[in-house]
Coordinates of all heavy atoms in Angstrom, one line a residue:
M1 N -2.6 -12.0 -0.4 CA -2.4 -10.6 -0.1 C -2.8 -9.7 -1.3 O -3.4 -8.7 -1.2 CB -0.9 -10.3 0.1 CG -0.6 -9.0 0.5 SD -1.6 -8.2 1.9 CE -1.1 -9.2 3.2
L2 N -2.7 -10.2 -2.5 CA -3.0 -9.4 -3.7 C -4.5 -9.3 -3.7 O -5.0 -8.2 -4.0 CB -2.5 -10.1 -5.1 CG -1.0 -9.9 -5.2 CD1 -0.6 -10.7 -6.5 CD2 -0.5 -8.5 -5.4
D3 N -5.3 -10.2 -3.4 CA -6.8 -10.2 -3.2 C -7.2 -9.2 -2.2 O -8.1 -8.4 -2.5 CB -7.3 -11.6 -2.9 CG -7.3 -12.6 -4.0 OD1 -7.1 -12.2 -5.2 OD2 -7.4 -13.7 -3.7
L4 N -6.6 -9.1 -1.1 CA -6.9 -8.1 -0.1 C -6.5 -6.7 -0.5 O -7.3 -5.8 -0.4 CB -6.0 -8.4 1.1 CG -6.3 -7.7 2.5 CD1 -7.8 -7.9 2.9 CD2 -5.4 -8.1 3.6
I5 N -5.4 -6.5 -1.3 CA -5.1 -5.2 -1.8 C -6.2 -4.8 -2.9 O -6.7 -3.7 -2.8 CB -3.7 -5.3 -2.5 CG1 -2.6 -5.4 -1.4 CG2 -3.5 -4.0 -3.4 CD1 -1.3 -5.7 -1.9
E6 N -6.6 -5.8 -3.7 CA -7.5 -5.5 -4.8 C -8.9 -5.2 -4.2 O -9.6 -4.3 -4.5 CB -7.8 -6.7 -5.7 CG -8.6 -6.5 -6.8 CD -8.7 -7.7 -7.8 OE1 -7.7 -8.0 -8.4 OE2 -9.8 -8.2 -7.9
A7 N -9.3 -5.7 -3.1 CA -10.6 -5.5 -2.4 C -10.6 -4.2 -1.7 O -11.7 -3.6 -1.7 CB -10.8 -6.7 -1.4
H8 N -9.5 -3.7 -1.1 CA -9.5 -2.5 -0.3 C -8.9 -1.4 -1.0 O -9.0 -0.2 -0.5 CB -8.8 -2.9 1.0 CG -9.7 -3.8 1.9 ND1 -10.7 -3.4 2.5 CD2 -9.5 -5.2 2.0 CE1 -11.2 -4.4 3.2 NE2 -10.5 -5.5 2.9
L9 N -8.2 -1.6 -2.1 CA -7.5 -0.4 -2.8 C -7.9 -0.5 -4.4 O -7.1 -0.9 -5.1 CB -6.1 -0.4 -2.6 CG -5.6 -0.1 -1.3 CD1 -4.1 -0.3 -1.2 CD2 -6.0 1.2 -0.7
P10 N -9.2 -0.1 -4.7 CA -9.5 -0.3 -6.1 C -8.7 0.6 -7.0 O -8.7 0.3 -8.2 CB -11.0 0.2 -6.1 CG -11.2 0.9 -4.9 CD -10.2 0.3 -3.9
T11 N -7.9 1.6 -6.5 CA -7.1 2.4 -7.4 C -5.6 1.7 -7.5 O -4.8 2.3 -8.2 CB -7.0 3.8 -6.8 OG1 -6.3 3.7 -5.4 CG2 -8.2 4.4 -6.7
A12 N -5.4 0.7 -7.0 CA -4.1 -0.1 -7.1 C -4.0 -0.7 -8.5 O -4.9 -1.4 -8.8 CB -4.0 -1.1 -5.9
T13 N -3.0 -0.4 -9.1 CA -2.7 -1.0 -10.4 C -1.4 -1.7 -10.4 O -0.5 -1.5 -9.5 CB -2.7 0.1 -11.6 OG1 -1.7 1.1 -11.2 CG2 -4.1 0.7 -11.6
Q14 N -1.1 -2.4 -11.4 CA 0.2 -3.1 -11.5 C 0.5 -3.8 -10.3 O 1.7 -4.2 -10.0 CB 1.3 -2.1 -11.8 CG 1.1 -1.2 -13.0 CD 2.2 -0.3 -13.2 OE1 3.3 -0.5 -13.0 NE2 1.9 1.0 -13.6
A15 N -0.6 -4.4 -9.6 CA -0.2 -5.2 -8.4 C 0.2 -6.5 -8.8 O -0.3 -7.2 -9.7 CB -1.6 -5.4 -7.7
R16 N 1.3 -6.9 -8.3 CA 2.0 -8.2 -8.7 C 2.9 -8.8 -7.7 O 3.4 -8.1 -6.8 CB 2.8 -8.0 -10.0 CG 3.9 -7.2 -9.8 CD 4.7 -6.9 -11.2 NE 5.9 -6.1 -11.1 CZ 5.8 -4.7 -10.9 NH1 4.7 -4.1 -10.8 NH2 7.0 -4.1 -10.7
K17 N 2.9 -10.0 -7.7 CA 3.8 -10.9 -6.8 C 5.1 -10.8 -7.4 O 5.4 -11.2 -8.5 CB 3.2 -12.2 -6.6 CG 4.1 -13.1 -5.9 CD 3.4 -14.5 -5.7 CE 4.2 -15.4 -4.9 NZ 3.7 -16.9 -4.9
K18 N 6.1 -10.3 -6.6 CA 7.5 -10.3 -7.2 C 8.3 -11.5 -6.7 O 9.3 -11.9 -7.4 CB 8.2 -9.0 -6.6 CG 7.6 -7.7 -7.2 CD 8.3 -6.5 -6.5 CE 7.7 -5.3 -7.2 NZ 8.6 -4.1 -6.8
S19 N 7.9 -12.1 -5.6 CA 8.5 -13.3 -5.2 C 7.5 -13.9 -4.1 O 6.5 -13.5 -3.9 CB 9.9 -13.0 -4.6 OG 9.8 -12.4 -3.3
D20 N 8.0 -15.0 -3.5 CA 7.2 -15.6 -2.4 C 7.0 -14.7 -1.3 O 6.0 -14.9 -0.5 CB 7.8 -17.0 -2.0 CG 7.6 -18.0 -3.1 OD1 6.8 -17.8 -4.0 OD2 8.3 -19.0 -3.0
V21 N 7.9 -13.7 -1.0 CA 7.8 -12.8 0.1 C 7.7 -11.4 -0.2 O 7.8 -10.5 0.7 CB 9.0 -13.1 1.0 CG1 9.0 -14.6 1.6 CG2 10.3 -12.9 0.3
Q22 N 7.4 -11.0 -1.6 CA 7.4 -9.5 -1.8 C 6.3 -9.3 -2.9 O 6.2 -10.1 -3.9 CB 8.7 -9.1 -2.4 CG 8.9 -7.6 -2.3 CD 10.2 -7.1 -2.5 OE1 10.9 -7.5 -3.6 NE2 10.8 -6.3 -1.8
I23 N 5.6 -8.2 -2.7 CA 4.6 -7.7 -3.6 C 4.8 -6.3 -4.0 O 5.5 -5.6 -3.2 CB 3.2 -7.9 -3.2 CG1 2.9 -7.2 -1.9 CG2 2.8 -9.4 -3.1 CD1 1.5 -7.2 -1.5
G24 N 4.3 -5.8 -5.0 CA 4.4 -4.4 -5.3 C 3.1 -3.9 -6.0 O 2.4 -4.7 -6.6
F25 N 2.7 -2.6 -5.9 CA 1.5 -2.0 -6.6 C 1.8 -0.6 -6.7 O 2.6 0.1 -6.0 CB 0.2 -2.4 -5.9 CG 0.1 -2.0 -4.5 CD1 -0.6 -0.9 -4.1 CD2 0.6 -2.9 -3.5 CE1 -0.7 -0.5 -2.8 CE2 0.3 -2.6 -2.2 CZ -0.3 -1.4 -1.8
V26 N 1.0 0.1 -7.5 CA 0.9 1.6 -7.6 C -0.5 2.1 -7.4 O -1.4 1.5 -7.9 CB 1.4 1.8 -9.2 CG1 1.4 3.4 -9.4 CG2 2.8 1.3 -9.4
L27 N -0.5 3.1 -6.6 CA -1.8 3.8 -6.3 C -1.9 5.0 -7.2 O -1.0 5.8 -7.3 CB -1.8 4.2 -4.9 CG -2.1 3.1 -3.8 CD1 -2.1 3.7 -2.4 CD2 -3.4 2.4 -4.1
Y28 N -3.1 5.1 -7.8 CA -3.5 6.3 -8.6 C -2.4 6.5 -9.8 O -2.2 7.7 -10.1 CB -3.6 7.6 -7.7 CG -4.6 7.4 -6.6 CD1 -4.1 7.1 -5.3 CD2 -6.0 7.6 -6.8 CE1 -5.1 7.0 -4.2 CE2 -6.9 7.4 -5.8 CZ -6.4 7.1 -4.6 OH -7.3 6.9 -3.5
D29 N -1.8 5.5 -10.3 CA -0.8 5.7 -11.2 C 0.3 6.5 -10.8 O 1.1 7.1 -11.7 CB -1.4 6.1 -12.6 CG -2.4 5.2 -13.2 OD1 -2.4 4.0 -12.9 OD2 -3.3 5.6 -14.0
A30 N 0.5 6.8 -9.5 CA 1.5 7.8 -9.2 C 2.4 7.4 -7.9 O 3.5 7.9 -7.8 CB 0.8 9.1 -8.8
I31 N 1.9 6.5 -7.0 CA 2.6 6.2 -5.8 C 2.9 4.7 -5.7 O 2.0 3.9 -5.7 CB 1.7 6.6 -4.5 CG1 1.2 8.1 -4.6 CG2 2.4 6.3 -3.2 CD1 2.3 9.1 -4.2
A32 N 4.2 4.4 -5.7 CA 4.7 3.1 -5.7 C 4.7 2.5 -4.3 O 5.2 3.2 -3.4 CB 6.0 2.9 -6.4
V33 N 4.2 1.2 -4.1 CA 4.2 0.6 -2.7 C 4.9 -0.7 -2.8 O 4.6 -1.5 -3.8 CB 2.8 0.6 -2.1 CG1 2.8 -0.1 -0.8 CG2 2.2 1.9 -2.1
R34 N 5.6 -1.0 -1.8 CA 6.2 -2.4 -1.8 C 5.7 -3.1 -0.5 O 5.7 -2.5 0.6 CB 7.7 -2.3 -1.8 CG 8.4 -3.6 -1.7 CD 9.9 -3.5 -1.6 NE 10.4 -2.5 -0.6 CZ 11.2 -1.6 -0.8 NH1 12.0 -1.5 -1.9 NH2 11.6 -0.7 0.2
G35 N 5.4 -4.3 -0.6 CA 5.0 -5.2 0.6 C 5.9 -6.3 0.8 O 6.3 -7.0 -0.3
S36 N 6.4 -6.6 1.9 CA 7.2 -7.8 2.2 C 6.7 -8.6 3.4 O 6.2 -8.1 4.3 CB 8.6 -7.3 2.6 OG 9.2 -6.5 1.6
Y37 N 6.8 -9.9 3.2 CA 6.5 -10.8 4.2 C 7.6 -11.2 5.1 O 8.7 -11.6 4.5 CB 5.8 -12.0 3.7 CG 5.3 -13.1 4.7 CD1 4.1 -12.9 5.4 CD2 6.2 -14.1 4.9 CE1 3.7 -13.8 6.3 CE2 5.8 -15.1 5.9 CZ 4.6 -14.8 6.5 OH 4.2 -15.8 7.5
D38 N 7.6 -11.1 6.3 CA 8.7 -11.5 7.2 C 8.1 -12.5 8.2 O 7.0 -12.2 8.8 CB 9.3 -10.3 8.0 CG 10.1 -9.5 7.0 OD1 10.9 -10.1 6.2 OD2 9.9 -8.3 6.9
D39 N 8.8 -13.5 8.5 CA 8.3 -14.5 9.6 C 9.1 -14.2 10.9 O 10.1 -14.8 11.1 CB 8.4 -15.9 9.1 CG 7.8 -16.8 10.0 OD1 7.3 -16.4 11.1 OD2 7.7 -18.1 9.7
Y40 N 8.5 -13.4 11.7 CA 9.1 -13.1 12.9 C 8.6 -14.0 14.0 O 8.2 -13.5 15.1 CB 8.9 -11.6 13.4 CG 9.7 -10.6 12.4 CD1 8.9 -9.7 11.7 CD2 11.1 -10.5 12.4 CE1 9.6 -8.8 10.9 CE2 11.7 -9.7 11.6 CZ 11.0 -8.8 10.8 OH 11.5 -7.9 10.0
G41 N 8.2 -15.1 13.6 CA 7.6 -16.1 14.6 C 6.1 -16.3 14.4 O 5.6 -17.4 14.4
N42 N 5.4 -15.2 14.0 CA 4.0 -15.4 13.7 C 3.7 -15.1 12.3 O 2.5 -15.0 11.8 CB 3.1 -14.6 14.6 CG 3.4 -13.2 14.7 OD1 4.3 -12.7 14.0 ND2 2.5 -12.4 15.4
G43 N 4.6 -14.6 11.5 CA 4.3 -14.2 10.2 C 3.6 -12.8 10.1 O 2.6 -12.5 10.7
S44 N 4.3 -11.9 9.4 CA 3.7 -10.6 9.3 C 4.1 -9.9 8.0 O 5.1 -10.3 7.3 CB 4.1 -9.7 10.4 OG 5.5 -9.5 10.3
W45 N 3.2 -8.9 7.5 CA 3.5 -8.2 6.3 C 4.0 -6.8 6.8 O 3.5 -6.2 7.8 CB 2.3 -8.1 5.4 CG 2.1 -9.2 4.7 CD1 1.4 -10.4 4.9 CD2 2.6 -9.5 3.4 NE1 1.4 -11.2 3.9 CE2 2.1 -10.7 3.0 CE3 3.3 -8.7 2.4 CZ2 2.5 -11.3 1.7 CZ3 3.7 -9.3 1.3 CH2 3.2 -10.5 0.9
G46 N 4.7 -6.2 6.0 CA 5.2 -4.8 6.2 C 5.2 -4.0 4.9 O 5.4 -4.7 3.8
F47 N 4.8 -2.8 4.9 CA 4.6 -2.0 3.6 C 5.5 -0.8 3.7 O 5.8 -0.2 4.8 CB 3.2 -1.6 3.3 CG 2.4 -2.7 3.2 CD1 1.6 -3.3 4.3 CD2 2.0 -3.3 2.0 CE1 0.8 -4.4 4.2 CE2 1.3 -4.5 1.8 CZ 0.6 -5.0 3.0
G48 N 6.0 -0.4 2.5 CA 6.8 0.8 2.4 C 6.3 1.6 1.2 O 6.1 1.0 0.1
V49 N 6.1 2.9 1.4 CA 5.9 3.7 0.2 C 7.2 4.3 -0.3 O 8.0 4.8 0.4 CB 5.0 5.0 0.7 CG1 4.8 6.0 -0.5 CG2 3.7 4.5 1.3
L50 N 7.4 4.0 -1.6 CA 8.6 4.3 -2.2 C 8.7 5.8 -2.7 O 7.8 6.2 -3.2 CB 8.9 3.4 -3.5 CG 8.7 1.9 -3.2 CD1 9.0 1.1 -4.5 CD2 9.7 1.5 -2.1
L51 N 9.7 6.4 -2.2 CA 9.9 7.9 -2.5 C 10.8 8.3 -3.7 O 10.9 9.4 -4.1 CB 10.4 8.5 -1.2 CG 9.4 8.4 0.0 CD1 10.1 9.0 1.3 CD2 8.0 8.9 -0.3
G52 N 11.4 7.2 -4.2 CA 12.4 7.5 -5.3 C 13.8 7.1 -4.8 O 14.1 7.2 -3.6
G53 N 14.6 6.6 -5.8 CA 16.0 6.2 -5.5 C 15.8 5.0 -4.5 O 15.0 4.1 -4.7
D54 N 16.6 5.0 -3.4 CA 16.5 3.9 -2.4 C 15.6 4.3 -1.3 O 15.6 3.6 -0.2 CB 17.9 3.5 -1.9 CG 18.8 2.9 -3.0 OD1 18.2 2.2 -4.0 OD2 20.0 2.9 -3.0
A55 N 15.0 5.5 -1.2 CA 14.3 5.9 -0.1 C 12.8 5.4 -0.1 O 12.2 5.3 -1.2 CB 14.1 7.5 -0.2
S56 N 12.4 5.1 1.1 CA 11.0 4.7 1.2 C 10.6 5.0 2.8 O 11.4 5.3 3.6 CB 10.9 3.2 1.1 OG 11.5 2.5 2.0
V57 N 9.3 5.0 3.0 CA 8.9 5.3 4.4 C 8.0 4.0 4.9 O 7.2 3.5 4.0 CB 8.1 6.6 4.6 CG1 9.1 7.8 4.4 CG2 6.9 6.7 3.6
S58 N 8.1 3.7 6.1 CA 7.2 2.6 6.7 C 6.3 3.1 7.7 O 5.7 2.3 8.5 CB 8.1 1.4 7.1 OG 9.0 1.9 8.1
K59 N 6.2 4.4 7.8 CA 5.2 5.0 8.8 C 4.7 6.3 8.1 O 5.6 7.1 7.6 CB 5.9 5.4 10.0 CG 5.0 6.0 11.1 CD 5.8 6.1 12.4 CE 4.8 6.6 13.5 NZ 5.6 6.9 14.7
V60 N 3.4 6.4 8.0 CA 2.9 7.6 7.3 C 1.7 8.1 8.1 O 1.0 7.3 8.7 CB 2.2 7.2 5.9 CG1 3.4 6.8 4.9 CG2 1.1 6.3 5.9
L61 N 1.7 9.4 8.3 CA 0.8 10.2 9.1 C 0.6 9.5 10.5 O -0.6 9.3 11.0 CB -0.6 10.2 8.4 CG -0.6 10.8 7.0 CD1 -1.8 10.6 6.2 CD2 -0.2 12.3 7.0
G62 N 1.7 9.0 11.1 CA 1.6 8.5 12.4 C 1.3 6.9 12.5 O 1.3 6.5 13.5
Q63 N 1.0 6.5 11.3 CA 0.5 5.0 11.1 C 1.6 4.1 10.8 O 2.2 4.3 9.7 CB -0.8 4.9 10.2 CG -1.1 3.5 10.1 CD -1.9 3.0 11.3 OE1 -2.6 3.7 11.9 NE2 -1.5 1.8 11.8
K64 N 1.9 3.2 11.6 CA 3.1 2.2 11.3 C 2.5 1.2 10.2 O 1.4 0.8 10.3 CB 3.4 1.5 12.5 CG 4.6 0.5 12.4 CD 5.0 -0.1 13.7 CE 4.1 -1.2 14.0 NZ 4.5 -2.1 15.1
L65 N 3.4 0.9 9.2 CA 2.9 0.1 8.1 C 3.6 -1.2 8.2 O 3.4 -2.1 7.3 CB 3.3 0.8 6.7 CG 2.8 2.2 6.5 CD1 3.4 2.7 5.3 CD2 1.4 2.2 6.5
S66 N 4.4 -1.4 9.2 CA 5.2 -2.7 9.3 C 4.7 -3.6 10.4 O 4.0 -3.1 11.2 CB 6.7 -2.4 9.5 OG 6.9 -1.7 10.6
I67 N 5.1 -4.8 10.4 CA 4.7 -5.9 11.2 C 3.3 -6.0 11.5 O 2.6 -5.7 12.5 CB 5.5 -5.8 12.6 CG1 6.9 -5.6 12.4 CG2 5.2 -7.0 13.4 CD1 7.9 -5.4 13.6
R68 N 2.4 -6.1 10.4 CA 1.1 -6.3 10.4 C 0.7 -7.8 10.3 O 0.9 -8.4 9.2 CB 0.4 -5.5 9.1 CG 0.9 -4.0 9.0 CD 0.3 -3.1 10.0 NE 1.1 -3.2 11.2 CZ 0.7 -2.6 12.4 NH1 -0.5 -2.1 12.4 NH2 1.4 -2.7 13.5
S69 N 0.3 -8.3 11.3 CA 0.0 -9.8 11.5 C -1.4 -10.2 11.0 O -1.4 -11.4 10.5 CB 0.4 -10.3 12.8 OG 1.6 -10.0 13.2
T70 N -2.3 -9.4 11.2 CA -3.7 -9.9 11.0 C -4.3 -9.1 9.7 O -3.7 -8.2 9.4 CB -4.6 -9.7 12.1 OG1 -4.8 -8.3 12.3 CG2 -4.1 -10.2 13.5
R71 N -5.4 -9.7 9.2 CA -6.0 -9.1 8.1 C -6.4 -7.7 8.4 O -6.3 -6.8 7.6 CB -7.1 -9.9 7.5 CG -6.7 -11.2 6.8 CD -7.9 -12.1 6.4 NE -8.5 -11.6 5.2 CZ -8.0 -11.9 4.0 NH1 -7.0 -12.5 3.8 NH2 -8.7 -11.3 3.0
D72 N -6.9 -7.5 9.7 CA -7.4 -6.1 10.1 C -6.2 -5.2 10.2 O -6.4 -4.0 9.8 CB -8.1 -6.3 11.4 CG -9.5 -6.9 11.3 OD1 -10.1 -6.8 10.2 OD2 -10.0 -7.4 12.3
E73 N -5.1 -5.6 10.6 CA -3.9 -4.8 10.7 C -3.4 -4.4 9.4 O -3.0 -3.3 9.0 CB -2.7 -5.4 11.5 CG -3.0 -5.6 13.0 CD -2.0 -6.3 13.7 OE1 -1.3 -7.1 13.1 OE2 -1.8 -6.0 14.9
V74 N -3.5 -5.3 8.4 CA -3.1 -5.1 7.0 C -4.0 -4.0 6.4 O -3.7 -3.1 5.8 CB -3.2 -6.4 6.1 CG1 -3.0 -6.0 4.7 CG2 -1.9 -7.2 6.6
R75 N -5.4 -4.2 6.6 CA -6.4 -3.3 6.1 C -6.1 -1.8 6.7 O -6.2 -0.9 5.9 CB -7.8 -3.7 6.5 CG -8.3 -4.8 5.7 CD -9.8 -5.0 6.0 NE -10.2 -6.4 5.6 CZ -10.4 -7.4 6.4 NH1 -10.3 -7.2 7.8 NH2 -10.7 -8.5 5.9
V76 N -5.8 -1.8 7.9 CA -5.5 -0.4 8.5 C -4.2 0.2 7.8 O -4.2 1.4 7.4 CB -5.3 -0.5 10.0 CG1 -4.7 0.7 10.7 CG2 -6.6 -0.8 10.7
A77 N -3.3 -0.6 7.6 CA -2.1 -0.1 6.9 C -2.4 0.3 5.5 O -1.9 1.4 5.0 CB -0.9 -1.1 6.9
L78 N -3.2 -0.5 4.8 CA -3.6 -0.1 3.4 C -4.4 1.2 3.4 O -4.3 2.0 2.5 CB -4.3 -1.3 2.7 CG -3.5 -2.5 2.5 CD1 -4.5 -3.6 2.0 CD2 -2.4 -2.3 1.6
E79 N -5.3 1.4 4.3 CA -6.1 2.6 4.4 C -5.2 3.8 4.7 O -5.4 4.8 4.1 CB -7.2 2.4 5.5 CG -8.3 1.5 5.2 CD -9.2 1.2 6.3 OE1 -8.9 1.7 7.4 OE2 -10.0 0.3 6.2
A80 N -4.2 3.6 5.5 CA -3.3 4.6 5.9 C -2.5 5.1 4.6 O -2.3 6.2 4.3 CB -2.3 4.3 7.0
I81 N -2.0 4.1 3.8 CA -1.3 4.3 2.5 C -2.2 5.1 1.6 O -1.7 6.1 1.0 CB -0.8 3.1 2.0 CG1 0.3 2.4 2.9 CG2 -0.2 3.2 0.6 CD1 0.7 1.0 2.5
D82 N -3.5 4.7 1.5 CA -4.4 5.4 0.6 C -4.6 6.8 0.9 O -4.6 7.8 0.1 CB -5.7 4.6 0.5 CG -6.7 5.2 -0.5 OD1 -6.3 5.3 -1.7 OD2 -7.6 5.7 -0.1
R83 N -4.8 7.0 2.2 CA -5.0 8.4 2.7 C -3.8 9.2 2.5 O -3.8 10.4 2.0 CB -5.3 8.4 4.2 CG -5.6 9.8 4.7 CD -6.2 9.7 6.2 NE -6.4 11.2 6.6 CZ -5.7 11.7 7.6 NH1 -4.7 11.1 8.1 NH2 -5.9 12.9 8.0
Y84 N -2.5 8.7 2.7 CA -1.4 9.5 2.5 C -1.2 9.8 0.9 O -0.8 10.9 0.6 CB -0.2 8.5 3.0 CG 1.2 9.0 2.6 CD1 1.8 9.9 3.5 CD2 1.9 8.5 1.6 CE1 3.1 10.4 3.1 CE2 3.2 8.9 1.4 CZ 3.8 9.9 2.1 OH 5.1 10.3 1.8
A85 N -1.5 8.8 0.2 CA -1.4 9.0 -1.3 C -2.3 10.2 -1.7 O -2.0 11.0 -2.4 CB -1.7 7.7 -2.0
R86 N -3.6 10.1 -1.3 CA -4.5 11.1 -1.6 C -4.2 12.5 -1.3 O -4.3 13.5 -1.9 CB -6.0 10.8 -1.2 CG -6.6 9.6 -1.9 CD -8.0 9.3 -1.5 NE -8.0 8.6 -0.2 CZ -8.5 9.0 0.9 NH1 -9.1 10.2 0.9 NH2 -8.5 8.3 2.0
L87 N -3.6 12.6 0.0 CA -3.2 14.0 0.5 C -2.0 14.4 -0.3 O -1.9 15.6 -0.6 CB -2.7 13.8 2.0 CG -3.9 13.7 3.0 CD1 -3.5 13.3 4.3 CD2 -4.8 14.9 3.0
R88 N -1.1 13.6 -0.7 CA 0.2 13.9 -1.5 C -0.2 14.4 -2.8 O 0.3 15.3 -3.4 CB 1.2 12.8 -1.5 CG 1.9 12.7 -0.2 CD 3.2 11.9 -0.4 NE 4.2 12.5 -1.3 CZ 5.1 11.9 -1.9 NH1 5.3 10.6 -1.6 NH2 6.0 12.5 -2.7
L89 N -1.3 13.7 -3.5 CA -1.6 13.9 -4.7 C -2.5 15.1 -4.9 O -2.4 15.9 -6.0 CB -2.3 12.7 -5.5 CG -1.4 11.5 -5.5 CD1 -2.0 10.3 -6.0 CD2 -0.2 11.8 -6.5
G90 N -3.3 15.5 -4.0 CA -4.2 16.6 -4.0 C -5.5 16.4 -4.8 O -5.6 15.5 -5.7
P91 N -6.4 17.4 -4.5 CA -7.8 17.2 -5.2 C -7.8 17.4 -6.7 O -8.6 16.7 -7.4 CB -8.6 18.3 -4.4 CG -7.6 19.3 -3.9 CD -6.4 18.5 -3.6
E92 N -7.0 18.3 -7.2 CA -7.0 18.5 -8.7 C -6.4 17.2 -9.5 O -7.1 16.7 -10.4 CB -6.0 19.6 -9.0 CG -6.1 20.0 -10.6 CD -5.3 21.2 -10.8 OE1 -5.3 22.1 -10.0 OE2 -4.9 21.4 -12.0
F93 N -5.4 16.5 -9.0 CA -4.9 15.3 -9.6 C -5.9 14.3 -9.4 O -6.3 13.6 -10.3 CB -3.6 14.9 -9.0 CG -3.1 13.5 -9.6 CD1 -2.2 13.6 -10.5 CD2 -3.5 12.4 -8.9 CE1 -1.9 12.3 -11.1 CE2 -3.1 11.2 -9.5 CZ -2.3 11.2 -10.5
L94 N -6.6 14.1 -8.2 CA -7.6 13.0 -8.0 C -8.8 13.2 -8.8 O -9.3 12.2 -9.2 CB -7.8 13.0 -6.4 CG -6.8 12.6 -5.5 CD1 -7.1 12.7 -4.0 CD2 -6.3 11.2 -5.8
A95 N -9.2 14.4 -9.1 CA -10.3 14.7 -9.9 C -10.0 14.2 -11.3 O -10.8 13.6 -12.0 CB -10.7 16.2 -9.8
A96 N -8.8 14.6 -11.8 CA -8.4 14.2 -13.1 C -8.2 12.8 -13.3 O -8.6 12.1 -14.3 CB -7.0 15.0 -13.6
Y97 N -7.8 12.1 -12.2 CA -7.5 10.7 -12.2 C -9.0 10.0 -12.3 O -9.2 9.1 -13.1 CB -6.8 10.1 -11.0 CG -6.8 8.7 -11.0 CD1 -5.7 8.0 -11.5 CD2 -7.7 7.9 -10.2 CE1 -5.6 6.7 -11.4 CE2 -7.6 6.5 -10.2 CZ -6.5 5.9 -10.8 OH -6.4 4.6 -10.7
A98 N -9.9 10.5 -11.5 CA -11.3 9.9 -11.5 C -11.9 10.2 -12.9 O -12.6 9.2 -13.4 CB -12.2 10.6 -10.4
A99 N -11.8 11.4 -13.5 CA -12.4 11.5 -14.8 C -11.8 10.7 -15.8 O -12.5 10.1 -16.6 CB -12.2 13.0 -15.1
A100 N -10.5 10.5 -15.8 CA -9.9 9.6 -16.7 C -10.2 8.1 -16.6 O -10.1 7.3 -17.5 CB -8.3 9.7 -16.7
N101 N -10.5 7.7 -15.4 CA -10.9 6.3 -15.0 C -12.3 6.0 -14.8 O -12.7 5.0 -14.3 CB -10.0 5.8 -13.9 CG -8.6 5.8 -14.3 OD1 -8.1 4.9 -14.9 ND2 -7.8 6.8 -13.8
G102 N -13.1 6.9 -15.3 CA -14.6 6.8 -15.2 C -15.2 6.8 -13.8 O -16.2 6.1 -13.5
G103 N -14.6 7.4 -12.8 CA -15.1 7.5 -11.5 C -15.4 8.8 -11.1 O -15.8 9.7 -10.8

């Protein structure tokens, strides 16, 4: 899963395996994301964007981030998380982030 995140989210930092069933990463040095593996019979990943405290969301911009069983479903969830993060951070922050990171 970490390889898939690295391949599709080049702005993901601090990506790490927290346990056999949980990963975490940070987008644009600003948005924390948690991924969990659940075996509901066929095995699936679910993602949550952490909002602070104990709050998180598992659906962003109408896109469900949970029960993603295939690589393509995971990619769609990662793309939705990236779009959500970019919209929340705004163009000024993203420009400063790109300038600071050679992009």
